[in-house]
Amino acid sequence: MQIANRHAVSFHYTLTDGQGNVIDSSDGREPLAYIHGEGHIVPGLEKALEGRSVGDQFKVDVVPEEGYGPRHPELVQVVPRAAFQGVEDLQPGMQFQGRNDQGAINVTISKIEGDNVTVDGNHPLAGQTLHFAVEITGVREATDEELSHGHVHGEGGHHH
């Protein structure tokens, strides 16, 4: 069976950056499971999986526009330390949820200088080409229950 919309798909993957450093991997874990065509994984990877079958192994490079998007400089802002009331030990790399004109936004502290805290609302992988090594481990039609819940049940998926 080939991967197509409304199919439950599972795959092992290793994601690396442009220097070959591993960013994430399913190695030692269950394969990642998702419903194809529902937008649950980055578009470039989903397109590369289309039409593949169990046992297929391949590599794909996903450009930022098909991954986590380009970096947006306007999402980097300096805010006062006082904006983090109740947090004693602020450190670069810490993540918080903030608000902007569009609603909730996740931000990461990128720099602290005195009472000025630089936060970045870009996804940590925005602007990067993503390098995936993939092995397809399962393809089947998603059940009506999985489609209504929006996720795969059972191995590699959600367990109720």
Side-chain angles (χ1 to χ4, degrees):
M1 176 177 282
Q2 292 184 318
I3 295 173
N5 287 347
R6 302 173 59 94
H7 282 168
V9 178
S10 58
F11 64 96
H12 278 293
Y13 68 94
T14 298
L15 169 60
T16 56
D17 64 16
Q19 290 73 46
N21 300 309
V22 175
I23 297 170
D24 192 16
S25 177
S26 64
D27 190 31
R29 302 188 321 232
E30 294 287 325
L32 178 65
Y34 77 102
I35 298 175
H36 194 77
E38 300 292 310
H40 296 151
I41 62 174
V42 295
L45 180 57
E46 191 166 55
K47 286 178 185 175
L49 290 166
E50 183 87 24
R52 305 273 186 169
S53 302
V54 171
D56 285 358
Q57 296 182 33
F58 62 97
K59 292 183 178 184
V60 60
D61 296 332
V62 177
V63 297
E65 294 74 18
E66 292 284 311
Y68 291 100
R71 286 193 55 75
H72 296 285
E74 66 273 15
L75 293 179
V76 178
Q77 298 181 359
V78 177
V79 297
R81 184 183 288 269
F84 298 91
Q85 290 179 338
V87 181
E88 296 296 320
D89 187 27
L90 290 178
Q91 298 291 325
M94 293 176 87
Q95 296 182 327
F96 295 89
Q97 189 173 73
R99 298 199 66 74
N100 68 7
D101 297 342
Q102 287 78 42
I105 182 172
N106 293 320
V107 298
T108 302
I109 294 177
S110 59
K111 183 169 52 173
I112 301 172
E113 293 177 324
D115 285 335
N116 293 323
V117 179
T118 303
V119 295
D120 188 344
N122 287 288
H123 187 281
L125 298 176
Q128 292 187 40
T129 296
L130 309 172
H131 306 277
F132 288 95
V134 176
E135 178 183 1
I136 309 299
T137 60
V139 179
R140 62 173 173 77
E141 290 189 25
T143 66
D144 289 339
E145 183 180 39
E146 289 170 327
L147 292 169
S148 70
H149 287 187
H151 57 254
V152 175
H153 294 169
E155 185 176 330
H158 184 76
H159 302 275
H160 288 278

